[in-house]
Amino acid sequence: MSEATETHGGNTAGNSERNTPIPSRTATPVDASGSRPSSGPRRFLAKVEKKIDKTIDVFKRKFGRKEKGTGSHRASEASTTASTGKTWAIVAQALKMTLSGAVPFIPDPFKGPAEALLKMIDVFEQAKSNKEEMEDLKARCGLLNESIVNAIKGQDERLLSAELKESIGRLVEGVHDTFLATVVEYSTGMAAYVMVEDNSEVVKQANQKMDQILQCFWIENLIAGALVLSDVRQTVKDQEGWMMRLCANIDNHFKSATLDKLKHVPGAAYDSHELAKVNSCFEGTRVKLLAGIGRWMSNTALEEQETRKPIYVLDGIAGIGKSTVAKTVAQRAAAINSLGATFFFSRDHADRQRAAGFVHTIAYQLACCDASYGRAIATALDDHPDSLHKVMAQQFSTLVAEPLKGMLKQRATPLVFVFDALDECAQPDGSDILSLIISSVSQLPNVKVFLTTRPELVLRVEYQSTSLANYFHLQDIEALIVDSDIWLYLDYYLSPSNIQKVFKGTKWNSWVPKKPQKEQLVSVSSRLFIFASTALKLILSCQGLGPEKTLASILSLEPKQGMVKLYQKVLEIATPTDILRPSKDWNLWLADFQTAVGATIVLQYPLSIGALEKLLQLESSNLELILSNMHSVLAPFDDGPNPTYKIHHKSFPDFITNADVCPQEFWIEESKHHLQLAKCCLKTMNQQLCFNICQVPIADQYKELANLPELNKEKLTEELKYAVCNWATHLGKISHKFFNEETKQLLQQFATVHLMHWFEALAYLGQLDTAFSTMQTALTALQ
């Protein structure tokens, strides 16, 4: 499962300029054609900047302007319309207020441009221009002011993150370059500092550039978590255009019966019930990494080489926090109406480890996120119904690329696709999907693709060889930055208030770990957030040894022993202390452990305790007792008498199925448990399948499935549904040494008595199109 409940990870991107798409500037001067100035004009810009101080005095004399701060406007106001003069006075006032307040927070490299911009505003106060464009400029200056105010309000300058200060600096530098370029490009000689009345195009282009700069600043800091969306919404409440759409609460959900033809995978969405236990980044962590991702997302119109690349690959070892970052990016992109689609792959779910539903899911989510996209996709489905069954590239072209290309070109902000844990997609499907992302998905206008994966060789070779992708190795982040983020996370959850809440009513509610103990726990975690998360679950458990002894036991591990030693500690704590070893009772407990954990590991998707017990046909069961003692690695999906347990993180199956690192008595031999589930599935189908299982009346038995009245699906139990859809998958993963006579007899009974009943059940479950591939899997296994 993809980084599954890797709780609240937190680290930042370090200083890896080669891998991280962090531009050095937010905006650059532009000429009339929108391109970057040549070296000649750039030298000229530098000279102009140096002359601004002297020129201000010239303009003061020429226009009779009084000294700043006297409260009067320029004496030359008569040469312009009163309204235009008043507008620019407000613009200048807003900019001055912004910059004066921001200068203390701006890093040294940006202080020069900020101070120069203050002087340039004095020059612009002498200018004439079109009233409408000046009003627009006034509005943007107001947004600029509010953006910086919202970013720094209530914060001590000394506590502001370096990333936020850098971002404010880039914002100011971008505005500075915009104004300076505007003056130089459209004026000559002594008039180089005066915009003439009929040249409203000058201000219009300055407004467009301001839009780009503000968009970059907002998206970067909203994704990084430095800006609060509610503050930005309040800032733009009276605005129109992309700014309002970026922050509006938009409900464009499109409904059409046509979309039901798409075999989308609901559990692949970032906000699905299946992914409820995957948490987003803990507040204050991953700041620099997320800010870099935000800049990459926003800079579609700017010229930095790294940000122009449409693909960002975040790779890293298991447990380091990739899925946590992916969910955070998806959540924050969705909040600003910039999320197109998500697909979180998982090897623990059959429909999330194959390519079959990938394009269908993208098309379905796009149709739901924007009504105009939905209408276009529904029309494409009606016009080309056969496209549903074509190869992936043709599906994508017909259902997504062709119908949406024109609308995507009109977007003012980027649309982001988030794909997590591509390495968990079975091969060759994973490589096929990566090829589709590079050749087709990333080629859509205004679209960017954020992708996470383990650095598997077959995938790594492909994404590192394309010029369309940035890639960042998450494990390369500086140790001090990661340790700082893990400290924030541990310090919060091991705080006195949280401990009192967790252990309320117990003898441990007043226990508090000492600071050196928390520091040592950071060290033992060895930059793995899954280690810190799993350790916390053990420490804060009301079962087992108690928090004090559990913490001491974890701290006895040597740094860099990693997840193996921690998982060994999990098994040790989960083992009953009142059973002698060796003994008959110990052997019985081990058998129950193997059944409970082995089945949970190899299930194609999680089942409730009740359904799992019925599928395994256990007369008396300790399943829930055993699984509940493993809560630090197996999470209950819901509360109540019939919980569903799923694996926290894929590193646990890696550990417990590896005979080289897992203690022999606890080792799970996957093939053996696949055999057990295959036989249980066949037994369940042979016992429960029958003709007309949903009791369709005789008069309706020859109607199309879509035209049938409401079906009685009581006999399609949870365990039968699982068996019908997954028996062949388990059969295909059995080692030949385990294939026995009992399995053959069960297969023979199924094939001769219940095969047609199986087809009927598949139809009622909407899975009839999987029948052919299922039979192929079974036949291959039998051969």
Side-chain angles (χ1 to χ4, degrees):
M1 121 182 191
S2 57
E3 302 289 335
T5 45
E6 190 179 300
T7 311
H8 302 301
N11 53 10
T12 52
N15 297 319
S16 179
E17 293 181 3
R18 179 176 61 85
N19 289 329
T20 311
I22 300 178
S24 59
R25 298 169 67 92
T26 300
T28 54
V30 293
D31 61 20
S33 64
S35 63
R36 195 181 184 107
S38 63
S39 59
R42 288 160 79 180
R43 286 194 297 271
F44 177 55
L45 287 175
K47 292 179 181 178
V48 169
E49 194 170 346
K50 291 179 181 178
K51 293 180 179 179
I52 285 178
D53 283 334
K54 295 180 180 178
T55 310
I56 289 174
D57 293 333
V58 173
F59 277 104
K60 285 179 182 178
R61 292 195 298 272
K62 180 174 180 179
F63 292 100
R65 181 180 179 276
K66 296 185 178 180
E67 289 297 318
K68 184 170 64 176
T70 62
S72 62
H73 298 303
R74 55 189 176 274
S76 63
E77 217 167 358
S79 64
T80 65
T81 63
S83 59
T84 302
K86 183 178 180 182
T87 299
W88 179 248
I90 297 173
V91 172
Q93 183 182 10
L95 271 174
K96 287 178 181 178
M97 180 172 62
T98 296
L99 294 167
S100 298
V103 165
F105 301 98
I106 297 172
D108 288 336
F110 299 109
K111 285 187 184 294
E115 292 164 353
L117 181 53
L118 279 168
K119 299 170 184 175
M120 290 169 65
I121 292 168
D122 288 339
V123 174
F124 267 67
E125 287 184 16
Q126 319 305 321
K128 305 175 183 179
S129 191
N130 177 276
K131 176 184 176 182
E132 184 177 346
E133 275 71 40
M134 290 298 287
E135 287 286 353
D136 288 343
L137 190 58
K138 165 193 166 185
R140 282 161 177 78
C141 289
L143 285 172
L144 170 68
N145 180 58
E146 289 295 321
S147 296
I148 295 181
V149 168
N150 286 332
I152 64 179
K153 69 179 182 181
Q155 299 190 57
D156 188 319
E157 175 193 344
R158 294 166 296 179
L159 300 180
L160 284 181
S161 69
E163 291 73 35
L164 181 56
K165 291 182 178 181
E166 287 283 334
S167 181
I168 293 173
R170 282 189 296 270
L171 176 66
V172 171
E173 186 183 35
V175 177
H176 164 267
D177 287 352
T178 298
F179 274 65
L180 186 60
T182 300
V183 172
V184 171
E185 294 296 333
Y186 288 90
S187 307
T188 57
M190 190 58 187
Y193 309 104
V194 183
M195 294 182 294
V196 295
E197 190 169 346
D198 61 354
N199 205 350
S200 61
E201 191 65 26
V202 176
V203 187
K204 187 178 293 184
Q205 291 197 7
N207 281 329
Q208 292 172 352
K209 200 65 178 178
M210 287 277 280
D211 277 352
Q212 293 177 9
I213 296 164
L214 280 165
Q215 181 187 128
C216 181
F217 181 78
W218 281 358
I219 294 179
E220 171 191 343
N221 288 287
L222 286 167
I223 296 298
L227 280 177
V228 180
L229 187 59
S230 58
D231 287 341
V232 178
R233 283 202 178 108
Q234 183 65 25
T235 300
V236 301
K237 63 180 180 179
D238 298 322
Q239 301 298 321
E240 296 179 356
W242 70 266
M243 294 171 279
M244 191 63 183
R245 292 194 301 274
L246 184 73
C247 301
N249 290 306
I250 297 176
D251 182 12
N252 274 336
H253 192 77
F254 178 76
K255 295 180 180 180
S256 171
T258 302
L259 297 180
D260 293 338
K261 298 175 184 177
L262 293 166
K263 294 290 185 182
H264 71 288
V265 182
Y270 80 98
D271 55 353
S272 68
H273 184 59
E274 288 183 13
L275 289 165
K277 294 288 184 178
V278 179
N279 293 305
S280 53
C281 294
F282 187 69
E283 184 179 355
T285 63
R286 308 273 196 202
V287 175
K288 191 167 186 177
L289 174 65
L290 289 167
I293 294 168
R295 282 194 292 281
W296 162 79
M297 280 174 52
S298 65
N299 277 275
T300 51
L302 301 183
E303 294 192 15
E304 288 79 1
Q305 186 61 36
E306 293 300 303
T307 58
R308 292 175 63 191
K309 295 182 179 181
I311 303 172
Y312 188 121
V313 181
L314 185 70
D315 69 21
I317 59 176
I320 203 165
K322 301 183 296 294
S323 290
T324 301
V325 174
K327 186 164 186 177
T328 303
V329 171
Q331 284 178 331
R332 294 177 182 176
I336 57 175
N337 306 307
S338 286
L339 184 66
T342 59
F343 201 105
F344 279 58
F345 294 94
S346 171
R347 67 182 177 190
D348 296 323
H349 297 79
D351 54 357
R352 289 165 55 196
Q353 59 175 263
R354 296 290 178 187
F358 181 69
V359 173
H360 286 225
T361 301
I362 291 175
Y364 186 84
Q365 290 184 17
L366 284 168
C368 292
C369 82
D370 188 288
S372 61
Y373 300 169
R375 284 188 288 272
I377 291 170
T379 300
L381 274 168
D382 288 333
D383 293 345
H384 307 283
D386 58 330
S387 64
L388 291 168
H389 312 293
K390 300 293 185 181
V391 296
M392 268 202 311
Q394 194 167 342
Q395 282 183 30
F396 187 81
S397 176
T398 305
L399 299 179
V400 178
E402 292 304 320
L404 299 189
K405 187 179 297 183
M407 285 178 280
L408 291 173
K409 284 181 179 177
Q410 297 172 12
R411 283 188 64 90
T413 56
L415 194 67
V416 181
F417 291 71
V418 178
F419 305 135
D420 178 59
L422 183 60
D423 58 286
E424 297 201 33
C425 184
Q427 288 295 354
D429 286 18
S431 294
D432 293 342
I433 286 174
L434 182 56
S435 296
L436 181 74
I437 289 171
I438 293 171
S439 64
S440 300
V441 182
S442 66
Q443 301 303 306
L444 291 173
N446 285 324
V447 160
K448 294 212 167 186
V449 179
F450 180 77
L451 172 69
T452 76
T453 180
R454 290 192 195 185
E456 305 289 354
L457 180 62
V458 66
L459 300 176
R460 189 171 74 244
V461 168
E462 189 162 359
Y463 64 71
Q464 288 187 351
S465 62
T466 176
S467 61
L468 299 175
N470 303 305
Y471 51 90
F472 182 75
H473 310 305
L474 200 48
Q475 62 267 26
D476 289 346
I477 294 173
E478 296 173 25
L480 288 177
I481 296 174
V482 183
D483 287 349
S484 174
D485 285 350
I486 291 179
W487 168 263
L488 282 175
Y489 168 59
L490 293 175
D491 190 50
Y492 174 81
Y493 283 100
L494 292 176
S495 64
S497 59
N498 192 62
I499 288 172
Q500 288 171 12
K501 182 172 66 174
V502 171
F503 292 117
K504 185 177 181 180
T506 72
K507 62 181 180 180
W508 298 306
N509 67 341
S510 60
W511 171 79
V512 178
K514 296 181 174 62
K515 183 178 178 181
Q517 289 178 303
K518 289 190 280 188
E519 290 173 343
Q520 189 179 351
L521 186 55
V522 172
S523 175
V524 172
S525 295
S526 297
R527 291 192 285 164
L528 289 175
F529 276 93
I530 187 58
F531 186 105
S533 172
T534 306
L536 269 182
K537 290 182 177 69
L538 277 176
I539 294 165
L540 299 180
S541 172
C542 293
Q543 302 166 349
L545 304 175
E548 190 169 7
K549 289 183 179 179
T550 301
L551 176 59
S553 178
I554 293 171
L555 294 182
S556 68
L557 302 176
E558 291 293 328
K560 299 190 182 301
Q561 287 181 313
M563 297 305 301
V564 169
K565 293 295 183 182
L566 182 63
Y567 283 145
Q568 289 174 356
K569 187 69 64 177
V570 168
L571 295 176
E572 178 185 319
I573 292 172
T575 303
T577 56
D578 56 348
I579 299 179
L580 293 176
R581 304 188 203 183
S583 68
K584 182 180 178 180
D585 288 340
W586 172 248
N587 292 336
L588 289 173
W589 184 87
L590 268 183
D592 285 345
F593 174 88
Q594 284 280 330
T595 299
V597 177
T600 304
I601 292 293
V602 302
L603 278 173
Q604 296 305 290
Y605 60 81
L607 288 175
S608 68
I609 284 290
L612 184 58
E613 288 175 342
K614 290 175 182 176
L615 180 66
L616 297 174
Q617 301 187 6
L618 301 173
E619 292 182 5
S620 60
S621 170
N622 291 322
L623 285 186
E624 185 171 4
L625 179 62
I626 290 170
L627 295 179
S628 65
N629 282 332
M630 303 280 292
H631 77 101
S632 59
V633 290
L634 302 174
F637 216 68
D638 42 45
D639 297 322
N642 190 29
T644 300
Y645 285 87
K646 64 177 294 186
I647 301 161
H648 268 307
H649 192 268
K650 61 187 178 184
S651 56
F652 179 66
D654 291 345
F655 160 78
I656 206 164
T657 59
N658 186 341
D660 294 332
V661 296
C662 181
Q664 186 63 33
E665 55 197 357
F666 297 109
W667 172 55
I668 300 296
E669 189 171 2
E670 289 181 275
S671 187
K672 178 180 176 181
H673 291 278
H674 279 297
L675 171 64
Q676 178 67 17
L677 277 174
K679 291 195 296 185
C680 288
C681 287
L682 289 168
K683 287 178 183 178
T684 298
M685 291 192 294
N686 289 340
Q687 292 167 1
Q688 296 188 25
L689 284 176
C690 62
F691 173 72
N692 194 19
I693 193 170
C694 290
Q695 300 175 350
V696 178
I698 295 176
D700 295 323
Q701 285 181 6
Y702 295 98
K703 290 183 178 179
E704 293 287 338
L705 192 61
N707 298 326
L708 288 176
E710 187 174 346
L711 296 172
N712 179 7
K713 294 187 177 181
E714 285 184 4
K715 291 194 175 181
L716 289 172
T717 60
E718 186 181 355
E719 65 272 14
L720 179 59
K721 291 177 184 176
Y722 182 89
V724 165
C725 296
N726 296 287
W727 65 273
T729 301
H730 291 298
L731 197 68
K733 295 182 179 181
I734 298 173
S735 171
H736 288 292
K737 68 179 180 179
F738 290 119
F739 208 88
N740 55 25
E741 190 63 31
E742 181 188 7
T743 310
K744 293 178 184 177
Q745 291 174 359
L746 289 169
L747 275 168
Q748 185 175 14
Q749 182 184 357
F750 169 71
T752 56
V753 179
H754 296 292
L755 187 61
M756 294 306 296
H757 303 156
W758 174 69
F759 280 112
E760 182 185 7
L762 278 177
Y764 290 141
L765 294 173
Q767 298 291 326
L768 190 58
D769 59 339
T770 66
F772 179 72
S773 60
T774 300
M775 294 304 294
Q776 274 191 319
T777 301
L779 290 171
T780 302
L782 292 173
Q783 289 171 359

